[in-house]
Amino acid sequence: PKHPLLPGVGAAQPRTSRRGWAFSDRQQVEQQATDTEVAPMPQFIDAKGRKWAIVIDVNAIRYVRLATKVNLYAALNDGFKGMAELLADPVMLCDVLWILCKSQADKMSPSVTEEQFGASLVGDAIINAADALVGGLVDFFPNEKARTNLAEAWAKNKEMQGLMLEAGGEELKKIDPAKEVSKMVARLSG
């Protein structure tokens, strides 16, 4: 079925934006992003080994907002609250990534379906895709200082996540399962 909002989704012929840009222009930018050696766009590799470029522009933000109600531009505001909510919902994250990668999926041989794309976002691929998404959003921001600050904030966020995982792992090592079972049995008996 044809989709009136998303380029290349069931479209019989190329459409143009209000400014006259053909949606195929976006596809050319995505191809250049995967082919270039100079300042490549953020990319990730899915669990099947396929490389995906994340190209975020005004149209991408609009398509994501129309299709999912997720406002990517606002996702990095308020201490990354919107991004944290998106990352906490892997289904919504996959939907957003699919919208951003759909034209690339159509050009692959054989083409990749939405279901195949979703099935390939498991394990580290999800984290890498999320990092590429944030990288694309940071690159989109029009102010260099804002881009620098957002990139540093995301790096600190990732560092804090790593430290929290390490601390949690250390706490788990301190747990003596036999001792914990004895405590539970004593509580049930007493």
Side-chain angles (χ1 to χ4, degrees):
K2 293 182 182 179
H3 195 292
L5 304 175
L6 301 176
V9 179
Q13 55 187 331
R15 296 175 40 218
T16 58
S17 69
R18 285 182 273 176
R19 293 199 171 120
W21 292 5
F23 287 124
S24 61
D25 293 343
R26 178 173 172 73
Q27 294 170 345
Q28 290 173 356
V29 169
E30 290 171 342
Q31 186 59 45
Q32 290 170 356
T34 56
D35 292 344
T36 185
E37 292 297 322
V38 180
M41 295 291 179
Q43 301 175 359
F44 70 95
I45 297 175
D46 68 19
K48 301 288 184 190
R50 297 177 293 234
K51 185 188 291 186
W52 304 92
I54 300 295
V55 178
I56 297 181
D57 55 23
V58 172
N59 287 326
I61 290 173
R62 179 184 309 120
Y63 301 140
V64 167
R65 186 183 305 165
L66 289 171
T68 65
K69 308 292 186 235
V70 172
N71 184 347
L72 288 177
Y73 190 76
L76 299 182
N77 295 340
D78 200 19
F80 293 97
K81 181 180 177 187
M83 184 56 63
E85 291 171 1
L86 181 59
L87 297 178
D89 184 350
V91 174
M92 183 61 72
L93 176 62
C94 183
D95 289 347
V96 167
L97 291 166
W98 173 249
I99 292 165
L100 297 173
C101 297
K102 168 82 170 86
S103 63
Q104 295 170 70
D106 290 341
K107 291 187 289 186
M108 291 184 173
S109 180
S111 64
V112 176
T113 66
E114 184 173 3
E115 291 76 19
Q116 291 168 330
F117 181 80
S120 70
L121 290 179
V122 296
D124 289 343
I126 295 173
I127 294 169
N128 296 335
D131 285 342
L133 176 61
V134 171
L137 283 169
V138 168
D139 289 348
F140 173 77
F141 273 78
N143 179 297
E144 183 178 350
K145 185 65 176 167
R147 287 191 302 270
T148 301
N149 289 344
L150 287 169
E152 288 176 12
W154 184 249
K156 293 291 183 185
N157 181 312
K158 297 278 297 173
E159 183 179 349
M160 287 172 30
Q161 288 176 6
L163 291 171
M164 287 173 53
L165 288 172
E166 284 180 30
E170 291 302 317
E171 288 301 312
L172 286 173
K173 289 177 185 175
K174 295 177 186 177
I175 295 173
D176 179 355
K179 190 175 183 180
E180 294 301 317
V181 169
S182 294
K183 286 181 190 177
M184 285 192 282
V185 169
R187 273 184 261 165
L188 291 172
S189 301

